[in-house]
């Protein structure tokens, strides 16, 4: 019975350690940022969005100049 308690205690101590937690958080954040950047690139490459942005810039330059 003591061996089981010792093993459970060791397991509990291992689960409470947070070594490497920051690295995992950075990895998850970077993966999310890369996914968002990929989505943004895909959206901005579409013809419709390019047309909207071109029209917006054209209107801004026409009004200003």
């Amino acid at each position: 019975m003591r061996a089981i308690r010792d093993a459970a205690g060791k397991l509990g101590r291992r689960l409470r350690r947070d070594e490497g937690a920051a690295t995992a958080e950075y990895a998850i954040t970077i993966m999310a940022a890369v996914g968002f950047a990929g989505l943004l690139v895909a959206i901005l490459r579409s013809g419709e969005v390019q047309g909207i942005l071109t029209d917006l810039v054209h209107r801004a330059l026409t009004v200003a100049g």
Side-chain angles (χ1 to χ4, degrees):
M1 192 65 160
R2 180 178 167 99
I4 293 173
R5 273 187 271 150
D6 289 344
K10 286 180 185 178
L11 179 62
R13 285 189 294 277
R14 278 188 173 175
L15 292 176
R16 281 191 295 269
R17 287 192 311 199
D18 60 354
E19 294 173 3
T23 303
E25 291 168 2
Y26 287 132
I28 291 169
T29 302
I30 290 170
M31 288 172 48
V34 168
F36 181 73
L39 180 64
L40 190 59
V41 166
I43 290 171
L44 291 177
R45 283 191 174 176
S46 73
E48 184 177 344
V49 173
Q50 284 181 352
I52 291 170
L53 292 176
T54 303
D55 186 49
L56 179 69
V57 170
H58 181 69
R59 283 187 198 178
L61 293 176
T62 305
V63 171

